[in-house]
Amino acid sequence: MFADDRFRDYQPASLRKDFISGITVGIVAIPLGMAFAVASGVKPEYGIYTTIIAGLIVSLLGGSRFQIAGPTGAFIPILLAVVLQYGYENLLLAGLMSGIILVMMSFLKLGNLVHFIPRSVTIGFTAGIAVIIFTGQLGNFFGLDDLEKKEYFHQNMAEFFRHLDQMNGYSIWTAIIGLFVIILVPRFFPRVPVLLVGLMIPTLCAVFFYPGQVETIGTAFGGIPQSLPKFQLPDITVDKVTMLMTPALVIAALGAIESLLSAVVADGMTGDRHKSNRELFGQGIANIVTPLFGGIPATGAIARTATNIKSGAVSPLSGIIHSVFVLLTLLLFAPYASYIPLAAMAPLLMLVAWNMSGYKAFQHILQLRTSDSLVLVVTFLLTVFVNLTVAVQVGLLLAVLSFVKKKSEQLQIDNPPDPQRRKQETLDLTAHFQIKTFTIKGPLFFGTAQSFEHSLIASIKRMPPVILLDMQHVTMIDATGEDKLASIIGNINKAGSTVLISGLPDWGIELFKKSGLYDKIGASSFFPDESSAKESAFLHQSGAGHESGAGESVFRRKETAD
């Protein structure tokens, strides 16, 4: 289906760079894969499986040289909601369905449509997801083991405060150690894989200084199997497919947005250009295959992709090596993951939430105090207090309404009483003929059609024999605008006057021909510019005209009446 040129100009020396970057990203991906899985309400090994399988498939079939795929923080609230409402087994089916949707999007070449989502919407729901992830780790940070996961934010916060008196000092101490490691290590040792160290040091502290005092992956989930995931086809029925269609669409939409944004970031860092539809295809196949081995939905991971590039990656081979490294780590060291405290994973996810929040962009859009600010705040609040599906739908609706309002304000109908026009109108009147000219500027579409009609009618104090519409500055006309214009022209003709049109761009002429409005008005009523329209009208009035048409009949009626 796709010609793979991502390995172009590959040199033997490139293999070493890809190997180093693949190992580096693999080290980063292991703790993140487990943390994202736990935060999503599933076992940590499912995050590892996703990292291995999705990372491998996207590297092989995706549209970016540098994309690293796997479980991401953006999916956490969606996947957790699906698990709480439908269960883990149905999450696998929803993930498989989302993969099919992504593949369909790639074949329909919808990759570029993602770029039409307003920034205020993406920043709003991303910040909302960050808040959910951050607050969702408060229980692990404070060692509240008996918290019950709820569907809504306010319910989870109420649950947290009800159990706050049960906090575990050892868990708090473990989380603080991990937090300091994550903050301080990059400042003094920038090349050290901080996320892995941020798990290892608090884990060692918990094991050697206060064993058995904090909840770990082993006590919470029974440890991580030291084996490959088993193939298992989800139970697929018509009822389940219907029930899970909305979650699948949301997962697919967010997966498309995240993966393409990640690819764009990679392009900006490297000067390369990804293929958006191929990227959707790779992500789709990854999400079809991954659930068959127990993995959760995956997408392009911006942080891991950036790490891949900064580590010197040259080709998709680094992503393949990253998956192989995680697989070998699972086979060799899985039992040791059982000792990792959940409290040690909390600051890691809190850091992820902080980095993905986009607080600077959020603050910038908020300070604009425009309709974009409203879209941002509404999307953010709905993401936090309702869910991402409603937030994106309402955010996009508000953005569209804002766009329509802005466009409607651009339409102008000018009938300026300048000296030159007064002189021309005086000349027309002395010749027993009058043309009233209106210059239309801006878009004529469903958002402006009604105001266009009201403004035009209000500007006509007395119906003249001929109305000239100068449309050279019209930027667009849709079906509603064309229909409204046809209605206006019909009413003017019924009143005994004629409409002439000047300066209409070629695309407008083609639109009118397709709709039949061109023939209805008459070819003789269209002119390339305002001056030629007035000259033709004057010649017809003076008897010098030789063409027949709607305009000529009005001229003759006027002469007879006078």
Side-chain angles (χ1 to χ4, degrees):
M1 174 182 174
F2 301 104
D4 196 346
D5 60 350
R6 296 175 300 159
F7 290 92
R8 63 181 181 272
D9 303 325
Y10 199 81
Q11 304 294 329
S14 301
L15 179 60
R16 178 177 176 274
K17 294 180 180 180
D18 280 336
F19 184 81
I20 293 174
S21 59
I23 298 299
T24 303
V25 178
I27 292 173
V28 172
I30 291 170
L32 286 177
M34 292 189 296
F36 290 148
V38 172
S40 300
V42 301
K43 294 181 178 181
E45 61 263 30
Y46 299 148
I48 298 294
Y49 300 159
T50 305
T51 300
I52 297 169
I53 300 170
L56 177 65
I57 293 175
V58 170
S59 293
L60 289 172
L61 303 178
S64 170
R65 282 192 178 201
F66 310 101
Q67 184 81 282
I68 300 295
T72 65
F75 273 145
I76 289 176
I78 302 174
L79 304 189
L80 180 60
V82 174
V83 171
L84 291 176
Q85 186 171 357
Y86 303 107
Y88 167 68
E89 295 295 332
N90 285 324
L91 171 64
L92 298 181
L93 179 56
L96 189 150
M97 291 167 59
S98 73
I100 295 173
I101 294 170
L102 285 168
V103 171
M104 292 173 60
M105 290 174 64
S106 73
F107 280 110
L108 294 173
K109 300 187 183 303
L110 300 180
N112 291 327
L113 289 182
V114 177
H115 301 299
F116 289 96
I117 298 178
R119 181 170 170 78
S120 54
V121 174
T122 57
I123 294 296
F125 76 68
T126 302
I129 290 172
V131 170
I132 294 173
I133 294 173
F134 191 95
T135 56
Q137 291 305 305
L138 292 175
N140 289 334
F141 194 101
F142 290 96
L144 307 180
D145 301 336
D146 298 327
L147 288 184
E148 182 181 349
K149 295 287 186 180
K150 303 288 186 178
E151 184 176 357
Y152 294 106
F153 173 79
H154 67 278
Q155 294 174 333
N156 285 312
M157 293 308 297
E159 181 77 2
F160 168 73
F161 285 112
R162 274 198 300 268
H163 291 79
L164 196 56
D165 59 339
Q166 301 172 9
M167 57 184 172
N168 184 334
Y170 292 104
S171 292
I172 296 174
W173 177 241
T174 303
I176 290 175
I177 293 173
L179 183 62
F180 273 102
V181 170
I182 291 172
I183 294 174
L184 297 177
V185 166
R187 296 185 180 182
F188 300 101
F189 307 99
R191 294 185 178 275
V192 171
V194 63
L195 297 181
L196 188 61
V197 174
L199 278 184
M200 290 179 61
I201 292 180
T203 298
L204 292 174
C205 290
V207 169
F208 289 107
F209 296 110
Y210 40 92
Q213 298 299 317
V214 295
E215 188 169 32
T216 66
I217 288 178
T219 59
F221 301 101
I224 296 179
Q226 193 176 6
S227 61
L228 292 171
K230 295 180 180 179
F231 176 86
Q232 185 175 357
L233 190 67
D235 182 25
I236 304 175
T237 65
V238 174
D239 290 341
K240 284 189 175 183
V241 170
T242 304
M243 175 180 67
L244 297 171
M245 183 56 66
T246 297
L249 286 170
V250 174
I251 293 171
L254 185 58
I257 294 171
E258 286 291 309
S259 62
L260 293 180
L261 284 178
S262 179
V264 169
V265 170
D267 290 348
M269 295 178 67
T270 62
D272 200 45
R273 292 190 64 182
H274 75 281
K275 296 179 179 178
S276 57
N277 292 309
R278 175 171 176 165
E279 181 62 27
L280 291 182
F281 178 79
Q283 297 288 344
I285 296 298
N287 279 288
I288 291 173
V289 176
T290 301
L292 302 179
F293 296 91
I296 60 179
T299 185
I302 295 176
R304 273 160 279 173
T305 300
T307 301
N308 188 38
I309 294 170
K310 291 177 182 178
S311 300
V314 177
S315 75
L317 187 58
S318 62
I320 297 172
I321 293 172
H322 131 272
S323 294
V324 173
F325 175 81
V326 176
L327 173 61
L328 292 175
T329 303
L330 173 69
L331 297 177
L332 297 174
F333 303 107
Y336 298 103
S338 300
Y339 298 103
I340 298 175
L342 298 185
M345 303 179 79
L348 187 152
L349 286 169
M350 288 177 169
L351 176 67
V352 169
W354 176 256
N355 289 336
M356 73 179 291
S357 66
Y359 64 94
K360 290 184 179 179
F362 191 100
Q363 185 180 27
H364 173 71
I365 297 175
L366 201 60
Q367 289 174 342
L368 296 177
R369 296 188 177 183
T370 62
S371 58
D372 289 326
S373 305
L374 175 62
V375 172
L376 173 79
V377 172
V378 170
T379 305
F380 169 75
L381 293 176
L382 287 176
T383 301
V384 174
F385 292 101
V386 185
N387 59 56
L388 183 63
T389 306
V390 174
V392 172
Q393 290 175 348
V394 175
L396 287 175
L397 177 61
L398 288 177
V400 169
L401 293 176
S402 172
F403 173 79
V404 171
K405 184 176 183 297
K406 290 175 182 176
K407 281 293 182 182
S408 66
E409 293 170 350
Q410 294 178 6
L411 183 70
Q412 298 178 11
I413 301 177
D414 296 336
N415 181 226
D418 58 85
Q420 182 65 31
R421 180 154 293 176
R422 283 202 200 98
K423 181 179 178 181
Q424 180 64 49
E425 289 182 354
T426 301
L427 176 63
D428 292 339
L429 286 170
T430 57
H432 305 293
F433 192 76
Q434 184 182 13
I435 299 178
K436 194 166 184 64
T437 304
F438 296 92
T439 301
I440 305 170
K441 301 177 181 178
L444 181 55
F445 70 119
F446 68 90
T448 60
Q450 196 69 24
S451 62
F452 167 70
E453 180 181 34
H454 291 329
S455 299
L456 186 62
I457 293 175
S459 300
I460 303 174
K461 304 300 181 184
R462 190 182 65 169
M463 186 68 71
V466 174
I467 292 177
L468 172 60
L469 301 179
D470 182 16
M471 303 184 71
Q472 62 177 317
H473 301 296
V474 173
T475 55
M476 68 164 287
I477 303 175
D478 72 350
T480 305
E482 184 274 334
D483 181 71
K484 183 61 67 176
L485 185 62
S487 175
I488 293 171
I489 292 173
N491 290 333
I492 291 175
N493 290 337
K494 288 180 182 178
S497 297
T498 296
V499 174
L500 304 182
I501 295 179
S502 66
L504 184 65
D506 291 340
W507 56 262
I509 296 290
E510 289 300 316
L511 175 65
F512 285 4
K513 286 182 178 179
K514 290 178 181 179
S515 68
L517 184 58
Y518 185 86
D519 294 331
K520 181 179 179 181
I521 298 174
S524 61
S525 297
F526 287 86
F527 299 89
D529 52 54
E530 181 180 343
S531 60
S532 62
K534 288 186 174 181
E535 180 181 359
S536 177
F538 182 75
L539 291 174
H540 277 95
Q541 176 274 331
S542 61
H546 57 278
E547 293 185 11
S548 62
E552 184 176 358
S553 65
V554 171
F555 303 146
R556 288 175 177 172
R557 286 200 301 271
K558 179 64 181 173
E559 289 171 355
T560 303
D562 289 339

